[in-house]
Amino acid sequence: MRTIPHFIGGSPLAGTGRTSDVFDPNTGKVQAKVTLGDKALLDKAVADAKAAQIGWAEMNPQRRARVMFEFKRLLEANMDELAHLLSSEHGKVITDSKGDIQRGLEVVEFACGIPHLMKGEYTGGAGPGIDVYSIRQPLGVVAGITPFNFPAMIPMWMFAPALACGNSFILKPSERDPSVPVRLAELAIEAGLPKGVLNVVQGDKEVVDAILDHPDIKAVSFVGSSDIAQYVYGRGAAAGKRMQCMGGAKNHGIILPDADLDQAVADIMGAAYGSAGERCMALPVVVPVGEETAKRLRQKLVAAAESLRVGISTDAEAHYGPVVSAAHKKKIESYIQLGVDEGAELVMDGRGFSLQGHEEGFFLAPTLFDHVKPSMKTYQDEIFGPVLQMVRAESFAEALQLPSKHAYGNGVAIFTRNGDAAREFATEVEVGMVGINVPIPVPVAYHSFGGWKRSGFGDLNQYGSDGVRFFTRVKTVTQRWPKGGPVTDQSFVIPTMK
Ligand code: NAD
């Protein structure tokens, strides 16, 4: 059976020791093994990365940008192959895998502007003969730990700005779909990145802990579920590292009575069920405001969800594919049962769906609940599957409170024609990313991505200007070049501008 390697020092490296199964979610069969690294391997990767970083950081930013330009070209040239590889391990449909790669590629595009983005600040004549300037310098070796659901986009959110800034990078991808990150590293080397600057260390908690404790890793970017994000944040910060840790989500779509319901329903279908709901910016909760809106919305949602096609990843007609693993499918099914037990109304039950010829695949049909209450565990928890929950609100104020009071605060969307209401909502809601008639408000590459509350630990967001800030540190130089003349008096007072 095929074994997926690490990628260290510029080449694939077969591992030894423990392995983990990599499934094809379409068939339910194990298609490969991935080798799980350990502390010794991580030490080797960090030593290589540390040695390679010096020359890479010394290269001028325009040359580093050229590597990024070429990497972007190679991503485009290899898009089909990458998308098929991604879908075969993740299960999302090919068009969606291309979206996954494209959103990462757009961060690479942003990183191509690094000569401009890294420019510092300068004040001439801050005092007599005194100039002050600040420069941004790379941190050294930095690391990224990524989830299964975007195996191309999220690694690129992290390593594109980190590398462009002159760091070297250790990527610890999800053990569930580990092949695409290795291909990305190969393409980066092909694009001219020096060997050792980008490394992929496969693994699980053992490697994560080794990363968090390693004295030569200066910053760690993490994306995954909230409990792990909080653990990673705490352990890394305690070791003195710069940390940014994005967590889980439970995003709400608020439907005001004046919304264009047909458009909203079309948008909700993709946002709730696309990628089988396995997106941190999915929209698994809809909140119609008022009984009349709820009645009309429910009718339209049922009709639209019933017409969705669930299929294998390579089925060009399928709206979404299987979920990532048998264990995850079981977890989603148990949440559906819990919803019933808690007293929500199960309008559409996605359990028991079987795809002819792929009976062992990890498929679930769309599930829809109505009359879900904020007190229910199925509302409070992230389910991360093709399950849409309707929570009815009587007023705008009640609808605004729901996402604001929820433990997660990643994304939210409001559907309305009323600019006043939308503006008030966007200002007041306690959530990091807001969509106004936009169901999945993942910010473009030159803004930045980050949730609030249990959806994000740390202060700087992913990519955009925040990405550059996270992967650099500022050094401020105050210089004086006196013209000569008499020696100034000794002073024991802190220098001021008085
Ligand atoms: P996960 O938390 O299980 O895994 C994320 C990473 O942490 C993986 O690399 C994994 O190997 C590692 N890990 C797992 N258990 C660990 C442990 N006990 N100690 C140390 N490391 C551990 O997440 P997942 O299931 O791969 O991804 C889905 C989750 O990620 C969802 O909660 C989703 O909302 C979240 N997510 C968040 C964002 C965001 O930007 N906020 C984006 C995508 C996904």
Side-chain angles (χ1 to χ4, degrees):
M1 182 167 285
R2 191 166 55 94
T3 303
I4 297 156
H6 310 281
F7 189 89
I8 295 172
S11 333
L13 180 75
T16 52
R18 292 187 304 131
T19 60
S20 178
D21 291 340
V22 177
F23 288 88
D24 175 352
N26 295 294
T27 61
K29 294 203 169 63
V30 177
Q31 58 163 316
K33 302 263 181 198
V34 59
T35 50
L36 302 175
D38 55 14
K39 185 179 173 311
L41 187 80
L42 193 258
D43 285 347
K44 180 189 162 5
V46 175
D48 280 9
K50 194 175 174 184
Q53 191 262 337
I54 299 164
W56 175 240
E58 280 172 0
M59 195 182 275
N60 75 53
Q62 220 164 345
R63 287 180 192 274
R64 293 202 302 271
R66 284 183 196 142
V67 175
M68 290 291 142
F69 276 111
E70 179 59 7
F71 180 51
K72 171 195 174 294
R73 193 192 67 75
L74 288 172
L75 288 171
E76 281 164 346
N78 291 275
M79 180 65 85
D80 277 338
E81 177 226 320
L82 285 165
H84 277 84
L85 187 61
L86 198 160
S87 288
S88 75
E89 292 182 355
H90 179 285
K92 62 176 82 172
V93 293
I94 299 288
T95 44
D96 200 26
S97 288
K98 288 186 178 172
D100 185 331
I101 299 158
Q102 178 65 27
R103 285 306 293 246
L105 183 158
E106 288 168 13
V107 178
V108 175
E109 273 176 342
F110 176 76
C112 289
I114 202 66
H116 179 72
L117 295 166
M118 270 185 87
K119 278 195 309 202
E121 296 176 329
Y122 187 89
T123 304
I130 295 176
D131 307 314
V132 181
Y133 64 92
S134 51
I135 52 176
R136 290 199 167 271
Q137 294 185 313
L139 302 176
V141 182
V142 297
I145 300 162
T146 52
F148 82 86
N149 67 324
F150 281 100
M153 175 183 84
I154 295 179
M156 286 191 270
W157 279 4
M158 298 173 180
F159 76 64
L163 297 179
C165 289
N167 299 284
S168 56
F169 200 91
I170 307 286
L171 173 64
K172 204 303 282 173
S174 170
E175 57 276 45
R176 286 184 266 180
D177 42 14
S179 290
V180 166
V182 173
R183 271 304 283 145
L184 294 178
E186 283 172 351
L187 292 175
I189 297 295
E190 200 182 323
L193 190 74
K195 292 178 176 180
V197 172
L198 176 59
N199 305 276
V200 180
V201 181
Q202 309 284 9
D204 56 9
K205 179 173 167 53
E206 191 176 336
V207 173
V208 171
D209 286 348
I211 288 172
L212 298 174
D213 297 343
H214 201 296
D216 286 337
I217 294 180
K218 301 301 177 195
V220 178
S221 182
F222 172 94
V223 176
S225 53
S226 291
D227 287 349
I228 311 288
Q230 189 168 15
Y231 162 75
V232 166
Y233 181 73
R235 186 159 173 165
K241 298 184 199 313
R242 188 178 286 192
M243 301 296 294
Q244 58 174 187
C245 300
M246 278 60 197
K250 190 87 179 196
N251 307 322
H252 296 53
I254 313 296
I255 319 287
L256 296 191
D258 68 349
D260 177 343
L261 263 198
D262 289 328
Q263 183 61 57
V265 167
D267 289 346
I268 291 163
M269 282 301 110
Y273 298 116
S275 197
E278 293 170 323
R279 293 185 185 135
C280 69
M281 289 295 275
L283 213 54
V285 178
V286 277
V287 183
V289 174
E291 275 308 304
E292 182 55 29
T293 314
K295 202 173 124 204
R296 285 166 46 228
L297 179 69
R298 175 170 161 164
Q299 251 173 14
K300 287 176 187 286
L301 284 177
V302 171
E306 275 175 352
S307 70
L308 293 183
R309 179 178 166 110
V310 183
I312 57 169
S313 306
T314 48
D315 175 352
E317 305 292 311
H319 294 102
Y320 70 88
V323 299
V324 72
S325 66
H328 191 49
K329 180 179 170 186
K330 213 166 147 194
K331 182 180 150 197
I332 297 165
E333 287 170 337
S334 70
Y335 268 116
I336 297 172
Q337 187 54 46
L338 181 62
V340 175
D341 298 344
E342 287 182 317
E345 183 192 348
L346 184 59
V347 182
M348 288 173 62
D349 187 352
R351 295 172 295 180
F353 172 82
S354 176
L355 191 68
Q356 212 184 355
H358 290 83
E359 287 77 8
E360 303 303 316
F362 309 138
F363 296 96
L364 282 162
T367 292
L368 176 66
F369 276 106
D370 193 2
H371 299 288
V372 174
K373 304 283 179 223
S375 57
M376 294 178 180
K377 187 167 162 53
T378 47
Y379 168 76
Q380 291 156 5
D381 288 2
E382 179 184 46
I383 299 174
F384 221 55
V387 179
L388 178 60
Q389 296 169 293
M390 194 150 119
V391 181
R392 295 170 176 233
E394 281 177 16
S395 63
F396 173 80
E398 189 188 339
L400 171 64
Q401 284 308 303
L402 284 166
S404 294
K405 287 195 171 155
H406 203 284
Y408 293 113
N410 215 39
V412 70
I414 185 165
F415 297 87
T416 179
R417 290 183 169 100
N418 181 337
D420 194 19
R423 190 170 185 280
E424 183 182 344
F425 183 84
T427 308
E428 297 298 326
V429 72
E430 292 191 34
V431 170
M433 292 170 281
V434 181
I436 298 173
N437 299 314
V438 171
I440 307 180
V442 175
V444 291
Y446 42 95
H447 283 257
S448 69
F449 183 108
W452 289 10
K453 301 180 286 184
R454 283 193 68 69
S455 297
F457 302 87
D459 56 349
L460 288 172
N461 284 352
Q462 296 281 346
Y463 64 81
S465 308
D466 267 15
V468 176
R469 284 188 200 106
F470 184 75
F471 290 115
T472 53
R473 51 187 174 174
V474 173
K475 182 178 281 175
T476 306
V477 179
T478 304
Q479 64 177 5
R480 181 169 66 154
W481 296 103
K483 285 192 180 127
V487 173
T488 49
D489 291 341
Q490 290 186 21
S491 173
F492 297 91
V493 178
I494 177 90
T496 70
M497 283 295 157
K498 201 164 174 195

